[in-house]
Structure formats: C-alpha cells, structure tokens
Amino acid sequence: MRPTRRLPTLAVVLLAVLLAGCAGAPGEQAQEQPGTAVSPPDPTAALRDACLSAIPEDADLTALTLEGATDGTIVGGVVGPARPETVAVLLPQITGLCGWGRFATALAADAAVTSILLDPCGYGDSECSDAGEADPLNEIAPAVRHARDVLGARRVVLVGTSMGGSLTVLAAAAGADVDGWVDVSGPPRWGETDLASVAADLPSEGMVVMARSDGDSAYRQARALARASGARFVDGGSGHGWELLSRPLSGRTTRVGSLVQAFVVGGPGA
C-alpha cells in the first residue's frame, strides 16, 4: 500500500483555524501580486540550455515529446523546416542527442531536410520500462509517424551513430517504416544481438559507414553487414560516430557527411 499524503483530520482542523485567524488579522492579509505565478519551463529553451553550443544558435529547434510504441516517454527535438519533403530520424551515441546538432543544422540549411533527434530509453529524459527498452521500434515508430503524419514527409530515413548505428540496424531489421537506413560506426554487437544475425531482414536501401580507426574486426564486420544486406559500404577514414559527418568547430559537413546527406535525400545511388 502506498503511504498517503493526506493530513490527519485533527491536524486539518487546527490548520484551518490557524489560517482563519491569520486571515482575520488586520493588515496581515497577503496581497496577491500580479505576474508572480511561476510558469513551467519552456521545453525548447530547456533543450537549448542542456545542449549549449552543440546545437547552433541559428538552428530552427523545437522540443518534442512522444509516447513510446510499447510504453514510456521519448524526448527529443526537431530541427529544420516545418513541412519538409524528407525527414531524417537521428539516433545518438551514448552522449545523447545534442551531438547531432551541427549535422542536423547542416541538413536543414543544405538540403531542406528536417531532423528528428531522439534520446533512446534511459538516455536524457527518455524513460520506459524494460519492455519498452527491449522493443527496437519503441522510439522509432512514433518518430516516423510524427514525420509522416505531422510534418508531412514523403521520405523518412533512419540514421544512427555508434550506439545509434546499432540501434538503427536493429530497428530497420524489425520492420521500421522507413525508406532507408544509415549505420555510422555501429558496434557489430549490441546487447545480446550480433548485427550479422539480422542482415537478411534488413531492407537493401541502406548505408554502412565504418572507419578503419575503429579496428580491423569492426571494419571487416561492418563491410560484411553491408554486403549481406545489399547496403552501400562507405570507408569512413579515421574517426568515430558523428565526428565523421561534420567538423566540430565550423559545423561544416565532411566528405562522409556529404555522402550520408545525399543518401538521406536521394537513396543509394546518390
């Protein structure tokens, strides 16, 4: 049984008497001051404060909260035009969604692509049960619905870096309603699942990016995943995750980032 927050009856009576006495004392009534009500924090302002310079000041950012497909609350943000043709659903590495800020801003400026930045269950303010965390579509399905039904997108592409890259593969293999998927630096094993074991379930319109600096084994397994699924493989050169996509200071898109952007907009032949 949960402990009650109600005061005992006698305490309520005594408190009411004391309050009535105070209210009747001349000159001691509290005066209501106009404009003193505390407004709830603005979610978009709170997101900007949390991300600081990771999301550029000129980014067209709006906070977003979604109900998980299985359960829970998924928190994220939207960067880009209000009515886009194409939406990129972006899954982060373990440091959270803020690291997507520069690439999402570049997608909006260079290609009029709107991005939905998500924190998976257990990251940022996103919370769900074990069942929600085990569902590879818990975060993805509501984000894709938002992209299509609210933003009006005709094309939706799922993109993830590092942890998010592996989660992207698992979601795409589980039947995410996306037009393409991109795995950047995703570890070849996530949780109890080897990504190679779901390769046959992946849509062929995909892209796998891995840098040799992540090690020979990870590089070899990423290339094998792309081959087994029919996806395009891109040598990332040196680096990891979103540092392969945009430069940390200028925010300019790298060579690999331009390839990912072209894929998001136009598919595997771009």
Side-chain angles (χ1 to χ4, degrees):
M1 180 180 296
R2 293 185 180 182
T4 179
R5 290 182 178 271
R6 295 179 180 176
L7 291 171
T9 303
L10 178 58
V12 172
V13 172
L14 291 174
L15 181 61
V17 171
L18 289 172
L19 290 175
C22 290
E28 294 185 5
Q29 292 187 8
Q31 300 295 318
E32 292 186 4
Q33 299 295 326
T36 57
V38 178
S39 301
D42 175 66
T44 299
L47 182 56
R48 283 195 181 276
D49 288 344
C51 291
L52 299 175
S53 62
I55 294 183
E57 291 183 3
D58 60 346
D60 186 7
L61 174 69
T62 304
L64 178 68
T65 300
L66 300 168
E67 182 179 344
T70 294
D71 62 35
T73 300
I74 310 303
V75 177
V78 178
V79 174
R83 300 296 293 177
E85 290 286 322
T86 303
V87 166
V89 176
L90 306 180
L91 292 178
Q93 38 210 81
I94 60 173
T95 49
L97 63 80
C98 296
W100 275 121
R102 289 180 174 81
F103 188 64
T105 303
L107 282 178
D110 299 340
V113 170
T114 293
S115 297
I116 297 178
L117 292 60
L118 296 178
D119 266 330
C121 296
Y123 290 83
D125 292 326
S126 295
E127 297 180 352
C128 57
S129 70
D130 290 343
E133 188 168 356
D135 178 5
L137 300 179
N138 193 47
E139 302 92 341
I140 310 307
V144 173
R145 282 197 302 271
H146 186 85
R148 297 194 190 280
D149 298 345
V150 178
L151 301 179
R154 295 183 179 182
R155 177 175 171 83
V156 181
V157 179
L158 183 59
V159 185
T161 55
S162 195
M163 170 185 73
S166 298
L167 296 179
T168 288
V169 170
L170 296 177
D177 181 23
V178 294
D179 300 289
W181 55 275
V182 182
D183 165 17
V184 181
S185 304
R189 181 179 179 86
W190 192 257
E192 301 300 319
T193 305
D194 287 320
L195 300 190
S197 68
V198 302
D201 298 323
L202 285 166
S204 60
E205 189 169 336
M207 175 182 282
V208 179
V209 180
M210 183 64 73
R212 292 183 181 274
S213 57
D214 269 322
D216 291 340
S217 177
Y219 186 87
R220 185 173 58 253
Q221 291 182 74
R223 189 165 54 184
L225 176 67
R227 186 183 305 116
S229 63
R232 179 182 179 182
F233 180 74
V234 173
D235 184 323
S238 179
H240 183 81
W242 42 50
E243 71 177 323
L244 297 176
L245 305 179
S246 58
R247 305 193 185 282
L249 296 179
S250 67
R252 292 179 180 175
T253 304
T254 64
R255 173 190 66 86
V256 174
S258 295
L259 292 175
V260 172
Q261 176 180 293
F263 177 87
V264 167
V265 175

